[in-house]
Amino acid sequence: MTLKIHVDDSAPPYEQVRAQISEQARSGVLPVGHRLPTVRGLAQELGLAANTVAKAYRALEADGVIETRGRNGTFVAAAGSAAEREAAAAAQAYAERARRLGLDEDAALAAARDALRAAYEA
């Protein structure tokens, strides 16, 4: 696993770690089941505080990209399963909220498209 932290980047270091691990897991560079370094080990390797790496790992676990198996370590999770379930739940909650607000389907889809475009183009 190769990660690089760019100090001149506007993204905070934990976000850089999160984004790079997420991308490597999504692209297959880090295969499902690959064991990640310990928080302390990766922090030392990257010259970061352990809390910074821990924050990235927590975000990755919340996104379903990695899973912690107690003392056995942290591993790349099965592709998308938890992330897809969470996205489906968020989409369902959005659909229900848009309906309660009185938006028709076209308006709700337009709002979702605008939000996704803003998130992915950032």
Side-chain angles (χ1 to χ4, degrees):
M1 176 170 79
T2 304
L3 301 177
K4 294 187 177 161
I5 303 302
H6 302 282
V7 292
D8 58 339
D9 195 320
S10 63
Y14 87 89
E15 175 58 24
Q16 292 180 50
V17 171
R18 188 211 58 78
Q20 289 177 49
I21 291 175
S22 182
E23 175 57 34
Q24 289 181 29
R26 196 173 15 263
S27 70
V29 171
L30 295 175
V32 171
H34 176 83
R35 185 176 183 166
L36 296 174
T38 65
V39 167
R40 289 180 193 267
L42 185 56
Q44 185 176 16
E45 181 182 323
L46 296 174
L48 297 172
N51 285 340
T52 300
V53 174
K55 185 174 183 178
Y57 274 23
R58 283 191 303 272
L60 287 162
E61 191 159 23
D63 291 345
V65 175
I66 64 173
E67 59 187 7
T68 301
R69 300 178 191 161
R71 292 182 174 255
N72 293 323
T74 303
F75 299 84
V76 174
S81 56
E84 288 172 2
R85 282 193 306 272
E86 190 171 335
Q92 181 65 38
Y94 170 74
E96 291 169 3
R97 177 82 172 142
R99 186 168 170 249
R100 280 195 310 273
L101 290 170
L103 297 177
D104 65 16
E105 186 176 341
D106 289 337
L109 281 171
R113 248 186 251 106
D114 289 344
L116 284 167
R117 191 174 301 116
Y120 282 92
E121 290 177 359

